[in-house]
Amino acid sequence: MLEIVYGLQKFNEYVYGKTVLVETDHKPLESLFKKPLSSAPPRLQRMMLKVQQHDLVVKYKAGKELYIADTLSRSTGSDPAEEHEEQYEVHVIENIPVSQEKVMLFRSETKKDPVLMKLKDTVLQGWPTNRKDLDSELTPYWNFRDEISIVDGLLLKGDRFITPEQLRPQMLKILHSSHLGQEKCTQRAKSTLFWPGIIIQLKDMIEQCNISNRYRNAQQKEPMIPHEIPNRPWQKVAADIMFFGNTRYLITVDYFSTFIEVNCLQDGKAATVINILKQHFARLGIPEEFISDN
């Protein structure tokens, strides 16, 4: 029997405590729900905040196969309960570690950048369905078009400023002003700024920096430290996730006997791993020590 639930309040009551499969014909949503909330554009963050209390599994399905949902999406009726729906505000710019002076500079330079103005018009008017119909200058932005939004005259990719071309050399110098290594500079860039090729340009700049090369940390050679062998089986157990092909496997090893348990994982969720480990512990006993890299 198919039960259709109308309104956000009734939906919350219906799915509370359940794992719900949501089928959508918007393929980018499938990948967006697997990423951190901050990587989504503000309009989608509001939607994701509303359903965050539920355990949703978003799966793509072609629109021609979503018969009932496609029909209901054309309904003009409204639910009175939704009139009192809680409003979710997403203040993106306030949470980005950038001074107001820099925000004003980005805003003014964005207006002068012809490529970003084309990008802005495309975001407002809607992206074409085919990549070939897109302006060649905007092709580098195609793969993450659903993450781009406009907030207070600024272009954002998730929670990162899309930097005008005139400011990019200056921003690279600021990112590497402390002469940090590639990893820390990359993390710093990923928290605030974006433009196509920023990571490659940043790495090239660091590799050519004499100061960074002079004080670069050399990898120290350390001998392997063996674990102490336990006194009995299943006293000390380790587990890790392994990929073979496109399939995940949970590997559980006993340190005393080197006995191995291998389990295929449907997904990488913690609940799935915990459920399998509980089955092992129920059969073989609870270990005194459990080792994992997470």
Side-chain angles (χ1 to χ4, degrees):
M1 183 181 73
L2 176 67
E3 183 173 353
I4 302 173
V5 184
Y6 298 95
L8 182 63
Q9 185 175 356
K10 292 181 181 178
F11 175 80
N12 288 341
E13 295 172 358
Y14 179 72
V15 304
Y16 184 77
K18 300 179 181 179
T19 299
V20 180
L21 173 64
V22 178
E23 294 179 336
T24 174
D25 61 354
H26 190 60
K27 191 169 180 63
L29 275 181
E30 188 177 26
S31 58
L32 276 174
F33 268 85
K34 298 177 182 177
K35 297 179 180 179
L37 182 67
S38 59
S39 65
R43 68 181 187 280
L44 290 179
Q45 287 187 29
R46 297 186 189 97
M47 178 197 72
M48 293 168 75
L49 281 170
K50 294 176 185 177
V51 299
Q52 201 171 35
Q53 59 184 311
H54 308 298
D55 186 9
L56 300 182
V57 178
V58 179
K59 183 180 179 182
Y60 168 74
K61 194 171 185 178
K64 61 183 180 181
E65 300 177 10
L66 288 175
Y67 310 110
I68 297 175
D70 199 42
T71 304
L72 290 175
S73 66
R74 288 162 173 74
S75 174
T76 57
S78 60
D79 190 335
E82 293 183 0
E83 296 177 3
H84 305 288
E85 180 182 324
E86 183 179 356
Q87 298 298 314
Y88 292 83
E89 295 289 336
V90 181
H91 303 282
V92 181
I93 295 180
E94 287 83 348
N95 297 324
I96 302 177
V98 178
S99 65
Q100 283 299 318
E101 290 78 9
K102 281 289 188 294
V103 171
M104 294 175 62
L105 178 62
F106 269 75
R107 190 178 287 118
S108 62
E109 290 297 329
T110 299
K111 294 178 181 178
K112 300 176 186 176
D113 193 307
V115 176
L116 293 191
M117 292 309 294
K118 287 183 183 179
L119 180 61
K120 194 173 182 180
D121 292 338
T122 303
V123 173
L124 291 173
Q125 296 171 9
W127 291 81
T129 54
N130 197 323
R131 182 173 182 168
K132 296 179 181 178
D133 299 330
L134 186 66
D135 190 302
S136 59
E137 291 182 309
L138 301 182
T139 303
Y141 298 93
W142 172 263
N143 289 338
F144 35 81
R145 58 194 181 279
D146 292 290
E147 299 179 44
I148 299 176
S149 59
I150 302 171
V151 180
D152 295 337
L154 294 164
L155 281 160
L156 301 178
K157 177 188 177 290
D159 58 350
R160 298 161 63 186
F161 288 114
I162 298 181
T163 310
E165 188 173 2
Q166 193 69 24
L167 296 178
R168 292 174 188 177
Q170 178 185 348
M171 293 300 110
L172 285 173
K173 291 180 180 178
I174 292 174
L175 289 171
H176 190 51
S177 59
S178 302
H179 297 282
L180 299 173
Q182 286 188 8
E183 186 176 346
K184 291 185 178 180
C185 285
T186 300
Q187 290 176 356
R188 193 176 176 189
K190 286 181 177 180
S191 65
T192 50
L193 303 174
F194 173 81
W195 68 82
I198 178 175
I199 303 302
I200 296 174
Q201 294 177 24
L202 187 58
K203 286 182 178 179
D204 291 341
M205 181 179 184
I206 295 171
E207 288 175 358
Q208 296 173 10
C209 177
N210 294 327
I211 298 175
S212 297
N213 291 329
R214 188 186 310 162
Y215 294 102
R216 179 181 296 173
N217 291 332
Q219 188 70 28
Q220 294 184 355
K221 293 184 179 180
E222 294 286 347
M224 290 190 69
I225 303 174
H227 285 263
E228 185 178 348
I229 299 175
N231 299 321
R232 59 177 176 81
W234 212 251
Q235 180 182 358
K236 187 176 183 180
V237 177
D240 201 0
I241 294 176
M242 176 192 78
F243 282 87
F244 184 77
N246 295 324
T247 309
R248 288 187 185 91
Y249 295 92
L250 176 66
I251 311 297
T252 311
V253 184
D254 172 33
Y255 270 83
F256 181 83
S257 62
T258 67
F259 173 75
I260 298 176
E261 290 272 9
V262 180
N263 298 90
C264 181
L265 295 175
Q266 296 179 350
D267 53 62
K269 292 183 177 180
T272 305
V273 176
I274 290 169
N275 185 44
I276 293 175
L277 289 174
K278 281 185 175 180
Q279 296 177 32
H280 293 331
F281 297 159
R283 287 187 293 106
L284 302 170
I286 300 175
E288 293 181 6
E289 188 175 352
F290 180 78
I291 299 174
S292 171
D293 60 358
N294 190 348

